[in-house]
Coordinates of all heavy atoms in Angstrom, one line a residue:
M1 N -66.9 130.2 -43.6 CA -68.2 130.2 -44.1 C -68.2 130.5 -45.6 O -69.0 129.8 -46.3 CB -69.1 131.1 -43.3 CG -70.5 131.1 -43.7 SD -71.2 129.5 -43.2 CE -72.9 129.8 -43.7
R2 N -67.4 131.4 -46.0 CA -67.4 131.8 -47.4 C -66.8 130.6 -48.2 O -67.3 130.3 -49.3 CB -66.5 133.0 -47.6 CG -67.2 134.2 -47.8 CD -66.3 135.3 -48.3 NE -65.8 136.1 -47.2 CZ -64.9 137.0 -47.2 NH1 -64.3 137.2 -48.4 NH2 -64.5 137.6 -46.2
A3 N -65.9 129.9 -47.7 CA -65.3 128.7 -48.4 C -66.3 127.6 -48.6 O -66.4 127.0 -49.7 CB -64.1 128.2 -47.7
F4 N -67.2 127.4 -47.6 CA -68.2 126.4 -47.7 C -69.2 126.8 -48.7 O -69.7 126.0 -49.5 CB -68.9 126.2 -46.3 CG -70.0 125.3 -46.3 CD1 -69.8 123.9 -46.5 CD2 -71.3 125.7 -46.3 CE1 -70.9 123.0 -46.5 CE2 -72.4 124.9 -46.3 CZ -72.2 123.5 -46.4
A5 N -69.7 128.1 -48.7 CA -70.6 128.5 -49.7 C -70.1 128.5 -51.1 O -70.8 128.1 -52.1 CB -71.1 130.0 -49.4
L6 N -68.8 128.8 -51.3 CA -68.2 128.7 -52.6 C -68.1 127.3 -53.1 O -68.3 127.0 -54.3 CB -66.8 129.4 -52.5 CG -66.1 129.6 -53.8 CD1 -66.9 130.5 -54.8 CD2 -64.7 130.2 -53.6
G7 N -67.7 126.4 -52.2 CA -67.7 125.0 -52.6 C -69.0 124.4 -53.0 O -69.2 123.6 -53.9
L8 N -70.1 124.9 -52.3 CA -71.4 124.5 -52.6 C -71.9 125.0 -54.0 O -72.5 124.2 -54.7 CB -72.4 125.0 -51.5 CG -73.8 124.5 -51.5 CD1 -73.9 122.9 -51.4 CD2 -74.6 125.1 -50.4
I9 N -71.5 126.2 -54.3 CA -71.9 126.7 -55.6 C -71.1 126.0 -56.7 O -71.7 125.7 -57.7 CB -71.5 128.2 -55.6 CG1 -72.5 129.0 -54.7 CG2 -71.6 128.8 -57.0 CD1 -72.1 130.4 -54.5
F10 N -69.8 125.7 -56.5 CA -69.1 125.0 -57.5 C -69.6 123.6 -57.7 O -69.7 123.1 -58.8 CB -67.6 125.0 -57.2 CG -66.9 126.2 -57.5 CD1 -66.0 126.8 -56.7 CD2 -67.1 126.9 -58.8 CE1 -65.3 128.0 -57.0 CE2 -66.4 128.0 -59.1 CZ -65.6 128.6 -58.2
S11 N -70.0 122.9 -56.7 CA -70.5 121.5 -56.8 C -71.8 121.5 -57.5 O -72.1 120.6 -58.2 CB -70.5 120.9 -55.4 OG -71.5 121.5 -54.6
A12 N -72.7 122.5 -57.2 CA -74.0 122.6 -57.9 C -73.8 122.9 -59.4 O -74.6 122.4 -60.2 CB -74.8 123.7 -57.3
A13 N -72.8 123.7 -59.7 CA -72.6 124.0 -61.2 C -71.9 122.8 -61.9 O -72.2 122.6 -63.1 CB -71.7 125.2 -61.3
A14 N -71.1 122.0 -61.2 CA -70.5 120.9 -61.8 C -71.3 119.7 -62.0 O -71.1 118.8 -62.9 CB -69.2 120.5 -61.1
Y15 N -72.4 119.5 -61.2 CA -73.2 118.3 -61.2 C -73.9 118.1 -62.6 O -73.8 117.0 -63.1 CB -74.3 118.4 -60.1 CG -75.2 117.2 -60.1 CD1 -74.7 116.0 -59.7 CD2 -76.5 117.3 -60.5 CE1 -75.5 114.8 -59.7 CE2 -77.3 116.2 -60.5 CZ -76.8 115.0 -60.1 OH -77.6 113.9 -60.1
P16 N -74.5 119.1 -63.3 CA -75.1 118.8 -64.6 C -74.0 118.4 -65.6 O -74.4 117.7 -66.6 CB -75.7 120.1 -64.9 CG -75.9 120.8 -63.7 CD -74.8 120.4 -62.8
C17 N -72.8 118.7 -65.4 CA -71.8 118.4 -66.4 C -71.4 116.9 -66.4 O -70.7 116.5 -67.3 CB -70.5 119.2 -66.2 SG -70.8 121.0 -66.3
L18 N -71.8 116.2 -65.4 CA -71.4 114.8 -65.3 C -72.2 113.9 -66.3 O -71.7 112.9 -66.6 CB -71.6 114.3 -63.8 CG -70.8 115.0 -62.8 CD1 -71.2 114.4 -61.4 CD2 -69.3 114.7 -63.0
A19 N -73.4 114.3 -66.7 CA -74.2 113.5 -67.6 C -73.7 113.7 -69.0 O -73.3 114.8 -69.4 CB -75.6 114.0 -67.5
Q20 N -73.7 112.6 -69.8 CA -73.3 112.7 -71.2 C -74.6 112.6 -72.0 O -75.5 111.8 -71.7 CB -72.4 111.5 -71.6 CG -71.0 111.6 -70.9 CD -70.2 112.7 -71.3 OE1 -70.3 113.2 -72.5 NE2 -69.4 113.2 -70.5
T21 N -74.7 113.3 -73.1 CA -75.8 113.3 -74.0 C -75.5 112.3 -75.1 O -74.5 112.3 -75.7 CB -76.0 114.7 -74.6 OG1 -76.2 115.6 -73.6 CG2 -77.3 114.7 -75.5
V22 N -76.5 111.4 -75.3 CA -76.4 110.4 -76.4 C -77.3 110.8 -77.5 O -78.5 110.9 -77.3 CB -76.8 109.0 -75.8 CG1 -76.7 107.9 -76.9 CG2 -75.9 108.6 -74.7
L23 N -76.7 111.0 -78.7 CA -77.5 111.4 -79.8 C -78.1 110.2 -80.6 O -77.5 109.1 -80.5 CB -76.6 112.2 -80.8 CG -75.9 113.4 -80.2 CD1 -74.9 114.0 -81.1 CD2 -76.9 114.4 -79.7
K24 N -79.1 110.4 -81.4 CA -79.7 109.3 -82.2 C -79.0 109.1 -83.5 O -79.1 108.1 -84.1 CB -81.2 109.6 -82.4 CG -82.0 109.5 -81.2 CD -83.5 109.7 -81.5 CE -84.3 109.6 -80.2 NZ -85.7 109.8 -80.5
S25 N -78.4 110.2 -84.0 CA -77.6 110.1 -85.2 C -76.3 110.9 -85.1 O -76.2 111.8 -84.3 CB -78.4 110.6 -86.4 OG -78.7 112.0 -86.2
E26 N -75.3 110.5 -85.9 CA -74.0 111.2 -85.8 C -74.1 112.6 -86.4 O -74.7 112.8 -87.5 CB -73.0 110.4 -86.7 CG -71.6 110.8 -86.5 CD -70.6 109.9 -87.2 OE1 -70.9 108.7 -87.4 OE2 -69.6 110.4 -87.7
P27 N -73.6 113.6 -85.7 CA -73.6 114.9 -86.2 C -72.8 115.1 -87.5 O -71.8 114.5 -87.7 CB -73.0 115.8 -85.1 CG -72.3 114.8 -84.2 CD -72.9 113.5 -84.4
F28 N -73.4 116.0 -88.4 CA -72.7 116.2 -89.7 C -71.4 117.0 -89.5 O -70.4 116.7 -90.1 CB -73.6 117.0 -90.6 CG -73.1 117.2 -92.0 CD1 -72.9 116.2 -92.8 CD2 -72.8 118.5 -92.4 CE1 -72.4 116.4 -94.1 CE2 -72.2 118.7 -93.6 CZ -72.1 117.6 -94.5
I29 N -71.4 118.0 -88.6 CA -70.3 118.8 -88.3 C -69.8 118.6 -86.9 O -70.6 118.6 -85.9 CB -70.6 120.3 -88.5 CG1 -71.0 120.6 -90.0 CG2 -69.4 121.1 -88.1 CD1 -71.5 122.0 -90.2
L30 N -68.5 118.3 -86.7 CA -68.0 118.0 -85.4 C -66.6 118.7 -85.3 O -65.7 118.4 -86.2 CB -67.8 116.5 -85.2 CG -67.7 116.0 -83.8 CD1 -68.9 116.4 -82.9 CD2 -67.6 114.5 -83.8
A31 N -66.4 119.5 -84.4 CA -65.1 120.3 -84.3 C -64.0 119.3 -84.0 O -64.2 118.2 -83.4 CB -65.2 121.3 -83.1
P32 N -62.8 119.7 -84.3 CA -61.6 118.8 -84.0 C -61.5 118.5 -82.5 O -61.7 119.4 -81.7 CB -60.4 119.6 -84.5 CG -61.0 120.5 -85.5 CD -62.4 120.8 -85.1
Y33 N -61.4 117.2 -82.2 CA -61.2 116.7 -80.9 C -62.5 116.8 -80.0 O -62.5 116.5 -78.8 CB -60.0 117.4 -80.1 CG -58.8 117.3 -80.9 CD1 -58.2 118.4 -81.6 CD2 -58.1 116.0 -81.1 CE1 -57.1 118.3 -82.3 CE2 -57.0 115.9 -81.9 CZ -56.5 117.1 -82.5 OH -55.3 117.0 -83.2
E34 N -63.6 117.2 -80.6 CA -64.9 117.2 -79.9 C -65.5 115.8 -79.9 O -65.3 115.1 -80.8 CB -65.9 118.2 -80.6 CG -67.2 118.3 -79.9 CD -68.2 119.2 -80.6 OE1 -67.8 119.7 -81.7 OE2 -69.2 119.5 -80.1
V35 N -66.1 115.4 -78.8 CA -66.6 114.1 -78.6 C -68.1 114.1 -78.6 O -68.7 114.9 -78.0 CB -66.1 113.4 -77.3 CG1 -66.7 112.1 -77.1 CG2 -64.6 113.3 -77.3
A36 N -68.7 113.1 -79.3 CA -70.1 113.0 -79.4 C -70.4 111.5 -79.1 O -69.7 110.6 -79.7 CB -70.7 113.4 -80.7
F37 N -71.4 111.2 -78.4 CA -71.9 109.8 -78.1 C -73.1 109.6 -78.9 O -74.1 110.3 -78.9 CB -72.1 109.6 -76.6 CG -70.9 109.7 -75.8 CD1 -70.5 110.8 -75.2 CD2 -70.1 108.6 -75.7 CE1 -69.4 110.9 -74.4 CE2 -68.9 108.6 -74.9 CZ -68.6 109.8 -74.3
V38 N -73.1 108.5 -79.7 CA -74.2 108.2 -80.7 C -74.8 106.8 -80.4 O -74.0 105.8 -80.2 CB -73.7 108.3 -82.1 CG1 -74.9 108.0 -83.1 CG2 -73.1 109.6 -82.4
Q39 N -76.1 106.7 -80.3 CA -76.7 105.4 -80.2 C -76.6 104.6 -81.5 O -77.1 105.1 -82.5 CB -78.2 105.6 -79.8 CG -78.9 104.3 -79.5 CD -80.4 104.5 -79.2 OE1 -80.9 105.6 -79.4 NE2 -81.0 103.5 -78.6
D40 N -76.0 103.5 -81.5 CA -75.7 102.7 -82.7 C -75.9 101.3 -82.4 O -75.5 100.7 -81.4 CB -74.2 102.9 -83.1 CG -73.9 102.5 -84.5 OD1 -74.8 101.9 -85.1 OD2 -72.7 102.6 -84.9
T41 N -76.6 100.6 -83.4 CA -76.9 99.2 -83.3 C -75.7 98.3 -83.5 O -75.7 97.2 -83.1 CB -78.1 98.8 -84.2 OG1 -77.6 99.1 -85.6 CG2 -79.3 99.5 -83.9
A42 N -74.7 98.8 -84.1 CA -73.5 98.1 -84.4 C -72.8 97.8 -83.0 O -72.1 96.7 -82.9 CB -72.5 98.8 -85.3
C43 N -72.9 98.6 -82.1 CA -72.3 98.4 -80.7 C -73.3 97.5 -80.0 O -74.5 97.5 -80.2 CB -72.1 99.7 -80.0 SG -70.9 100.8 -80.8
G44 N -72.8 96.7 -79.0 CA -73.6 95.8 -78.3 C -74.6 96.5 -77.3 O -74.6 97.7 -77.2
V45 N -75.3 95.7 -76.6 CA -76.2 96.2 -75.6 C -75.5 96.9 -74.4 O -74.5 96.4 -74.0 CB -77.1 95.1 -75.0 CG1 -78.0 95.6 -73.9 CG2 -77.9 94.4 -76.1
G46 N -75.9 98.1 -74.0 CA -75.3 98.8 -73.0 C -74.0 99.6 -73.5 O -73.3 100.2 -72.7
K47 N -73.8 99.7 -74.8 CA -72.7 100.4 -75.3 C -73.2 101.5 -76.3 O -74.2 101.3 -76.9 CB -71.7 99.5 -76.0 CG -71.0 98.6 -75.1 CD -69.9 97.8 -75.8 CE -69.2 96.9 -74.8 NZ -68.1 96.2 -75.5
V48 N -72.4 102.5 -76.5 CA -72.7 103.6 -77.5 C -71.4 103.8 -78.2 O -70.3 103.5 -77.8 CB -73.2 104.9 -76.8 CG1 -74.5 104.7 -76.1 CG2 -72.2 105.4 -75.8
R49 N -71.6 104.5 -79.4 CA -70.4 104.8 -80.2 C -69.9 106.1 -79.8 O -70.6 107.1 -79.8 CB -70.8 104.8 -81.7 CG -69.6 105.0 -82.6 CD -70.0 104.8 -84.0 NE -70.3 103.4 -84.2 CZ -69.6 102.6 -85.0 NH1 -68.6 103.0 -85.7 NH2 -69.9 101.3 -85.1
K50 N -68.6 106.2 -79.6 CA -67.9 107.5 -79.2 C -67.3 108.0 -80.5 O -66.4 107.3 -81.0 CB -66.9 107.2 -78.1 CG -66.1 108.4 -77.7 CD -65.1 108.1 -76.6 CE -64.3 109.3 -76.3 NZ -63.2 108.9 -75.3
V51 N -67.7 109.1 -81.0 CA -67.2 109.7 -82.2 C -66.3 110.9 -81.8 O -66.8 111.8 -81.1 CB -68.3 110.1 -83.1 CG1 -67.7 110.7 -84.4 CG2 -69.2 108.9 -83.4
T52 N -65.1 111.0 -82.2 CA -64.2 112.1 -81.9 C -63.9 112.8 -83.2 O -63.4 112.2 -84.2 CB -62.9 111.6 -81.2 OG1 -63.2 110.8 -80.1 CG2 -62.0 112.8 -80.8
G53 N -64.1 114.1 -83.2 CA -63.8 114.9 -84.4 C -62.3 115.0 -84.7 O -61.5 114.9 -83.8
A54 N -62.0 115.2 -86.0 CA -60.6 115.2 -86.4 C -60.3 116.5 -87.2 O -61.2 117.2 -87.7 CB -60.3 114.0 -87.3
I55 N -59.0 116.8 -87.3 CA -58.6 118.0 -88.1 C -58.8 117.7 -89.6 O -58.9 116.5 -90.0 CB -57.2 118.4 -87.8 CG1 -56.2 117.3 -88.0 CG2 -57.1 118.9 -86.4 CD1 -54.8 117.7 -87.8
R56 N -58.8 118.7 -90.4 CA -59.0 118.5 -91.8 C -58.1 117.5 -92.5 O -56.9 117.5 -92.2 CB -58.8 119.9 -92.5 CG -59.2 119.8 -94.0 CD -59.1 121.2 -94.6 NE -60.0 122.1 -93.9 CZ -60.2 123.3 -94.2 NH1 -59.6 123.8 -95.2 NH2 -61.0 124.1 -93.5
G57 N -58.6 116.6 -93.3 CA -57.8 115.6 -93.9 C -57.7 114.3 -93.2 O -57.2 113.3 -93.8
L58 N -58.1 114.2 -92.0 CA -58.1 113.0 -91.2 C -59.5 112.4 -91.0 O -60.4 113.2 -90.9 CB -57.3 113.2 -89.9 CG -55.9 113.6 -90.0 CD1 -55.3 113.8 -88.6 CD2 -55.1 112.5 -90.7
Q59 N -59.6 111.2 -90.7 CA -60.9 110.5 -90.5 C -61.3 110.7 -89.0 O -60.4 110.8 -88.1 CB -60.8 109.0 -90.8 CG -60.6 108.7 -92.2 CD -61.8 109.1 -93.1 OE1 -63.0 108.9 -92.6 NE2 -61.6 109.6 -94.3
R60 N -62.6 110.7 -88.7 CA -63.0 110.7 -87.3 C -62.7 109.4 -86.7 O -62.7 108.4 -87.3 CB -64.5 110.9 -87.3 CG -65.0 112.3 -87.7 CD -66.5 112.3 -87.7 NE -67.0 113.7 -88.0 CZ -68.3 114.0 -88.0 NH1 -69.2 113.1 -87.7 NH2 -68.6 115.2 -88.2
R61 N -62.4 109.5 -85.4 CA -62.2 108.2 -84.6 C -63.6 107.7 -84.1 O -64.3 108.5 -83.5 CB -61.3 108.5 -83.4 CG -59.9 108.6 -83.8 CD -59.0 108.7 -82.6 NE -57.6 108.6 -83.0 CZ -56.6 108.5 -82.2 NH1 -56.9 108.4 -80.9 NH2 -55.4 108.5 -82.6
K62 N -63.8 106.5 -84.2 CA -65.1 105.9 -83.7 C -64.8 104.6 -82.9 O -64.0 103.8 -83.4 CB -66.0 105.5 -84.9 CG -66.4 106.7 -85.8 CD -67.2 106.3 -86.9 CE -67.5 107.5 -87.8 NZ -68.3 107.2 -89.0
A63 N -65.4 104.5 -81.8 CA -65.2 103.4 -80.9 C -66.4 103.1 -80.1 O -67.2 104.0 -79.8 CB -64.0 103.6 -80.0
C64 N -66.7 101.9 -79.8 CA -67.8 101.5 -78.9 C -67.3 101.5 -77.4 O -66.3 101.0 -77.1 CB -68.3 100.1 -79.2 SG -69.1 100.0 -80.9
V65 N -68.1 102.2 -76.6 CA -67.8 102.4 -75.2 C -69.0 102.1 -74.4 O -70.1 102.3 -74.8 CB -67.2 103.8 -74.8 CG1 -65.9 104.0 -75.5 CG2 -68.2 104.8 -75.2
A66 N -68.8 101.6 -73.2 CA -69.9 101.3 -72.2 C -70.3 102.6 -71.5 O -69.4 103.3 -71.1 CB -69.5 100.2 -71.2
V67 N -71.6 102.8 -71.4 CA -72.1 104.0 -70.7 C -73.2 103.6 -69.7 O -74.1 102.9 -70.1 CB -72.6 105.1 -71.7 CG1 -73.2 106.2 -70.9 CG2 -71.5 105.6 -72.6
A68 N -73.1 104.0 -68.5 CA -74.1 103.6 -67.5 C -75.3 104.4 -67.8 O -75.3 105.5 -68.3 CB -73.5 103.9 -66.1
A69 N -76.5 103.8 -67.5 CA -77.8 104.5 -67.7 C -77.9 105.7 -66.9 O -78.6 106.7 -67.3 CB -78.9 103.5 -67.3
E70 N -77.3 105.8 -65.7 CA -77.4 107.0 -64.9 C -76.6 108.2 -65.5 O -76.8 109.3 -65.2 CB -76.8 106.8 -63.5 CG -77.5 105.6 -62.8 CD -76.9 104.3 -63.1 OE1 -75.7 104.2 -63.4 OE2 -77.6 103.3 -63.1
Q71 N -75.6 107.9 -66.4 CA -74.8 108.9 -67.0 C -75.2 109.5 -68.3 O -74.7 110.4 -68.8 CB -73.4 108.4 -67.1 CG -72.7 108.1 -65.8 CD -71.3 107.5 -66.0 OE1 -71.0 107.0 -67.1 NE2 -70.5 107.6 -65.0
A72 N -76.2 108.8 -68.9 CA -76.6 109.2 -70.3 C -78.1 109.6 -70.4 O -78.9 109.1 -69.7 CB -76.4 108.0 -71.2
S73 N -78.3 110.5 -71.3 CA -79.7 110.9 -71.6 C -79.8 110.9 -73.1 O -78.9 111.3 -73.8 CB -80.0 112.3 -71.0 OG -79.2 113.3 -71.6
L74 N -80.9 110.5 -73.6 CA -81.1 110.3 -75.0 C -81.8 111.5 -75.6 O -82.9 111.9 -75.1 CB -82.0 109.0 -75.3 CG -82.2 108.6 -76.7 CD1 -80.9 108.3 -77.4 CD2 -83.1 107.4 -76.8
V75 N -81.2 112.1 -76.6 CA -81.8 113.3 -77.3 C -81.7 113.1 -78.8 O -80.9 112.3 -79.3 CB -81.1 114.6 -76.9 CG1 -81.3 114.9 -75.4 CG2 -79.7 114.6 -77.2
S76 N -82.4 113.9 -79.5 CA -82.2 113.9 -81.0 C -81.2 114.9 -81.5 O -81.1 116.0 -80.9 CB -83.6 114.1 -81.7 OG -84.0 115.4 -81.3
A77 N -80.5 114.5 -82.5 CA -79.5 115.4 -83.0 C -80.1 116.5 -83.9 O -81.1 116.3 -84.6 CB -78.5 114.6 -83.9
T78 N -79.6 117.7 -83.8 CA -80.1 118.8 -84.6 C -79.1 119.2 -85.6 O -78.0 119.5 -85.2 CB -80.5 120.0 -83.7 OG1 -79.4 120.4 -82.9 CG2 -81.7 119.7 -82.8
P79 N -79.4 119.2 -86.9 CA -78.4 119.5 -87.9 C -78.1 120.9 -88.0 O -78.7 121.8 -87.5 CB -79.1 119.1 -89.2 CG -80.5 118.9 -88.9 CD -80.7 118.8 -87.4

């Protein structure tokens, strides 16, 4: 019974982590290897720009990726 309750608690805690937040603008500061999804018109319909932070001296990686509507929520970036 304890194992079932523990599994239920872990699944409830993990469920909100499945959604990705899509920002309206690219964040000014991004930690190395941190990923941010940005709504960008340069990417096609149904795609967002995936921005990955880099260590000092290197450029950020940017790529267009497809994101399902069920997995994304649109929020505004806070500087």
Side-chain angles (χ1 to χ4, degrees):
M1 182 66 177
R2 259 193 266 172
F4 176 72
L6 189 59
L8 188 61
I9 290 170
F10 281 134
S11 66
Y15 180 70
C17 299
L18 296 176
Q20 295 292 331
T21 302
V22 179
L23 304 173
K24 291 184 179 179
S25 62
E26 188 174 331
F28 184 67
I29 298 172
L30 200 59
Y33 307 108
E34 183 180 4
V35 174
F37 293 96
V38 181
Q39 184 180 13
D40 193 357
T41 57
C43 297
V45 177
K47 292 187 177 184
V48 294
R49 183 169 294 242
K50 179 181 175 184
V51 181
T52 306
I55 58 175
R56 185 177 300 186
L58 296 176
Q59 296 289 324
R60 292 179 174 181
R61 287 187 171 188
K62 299 177 183 180
C64 292
V65 295
V67 175
E70 302 86 31
Q71 293 178 337
S73 62
L74 185 63
V75 297
S76 60
T78 55

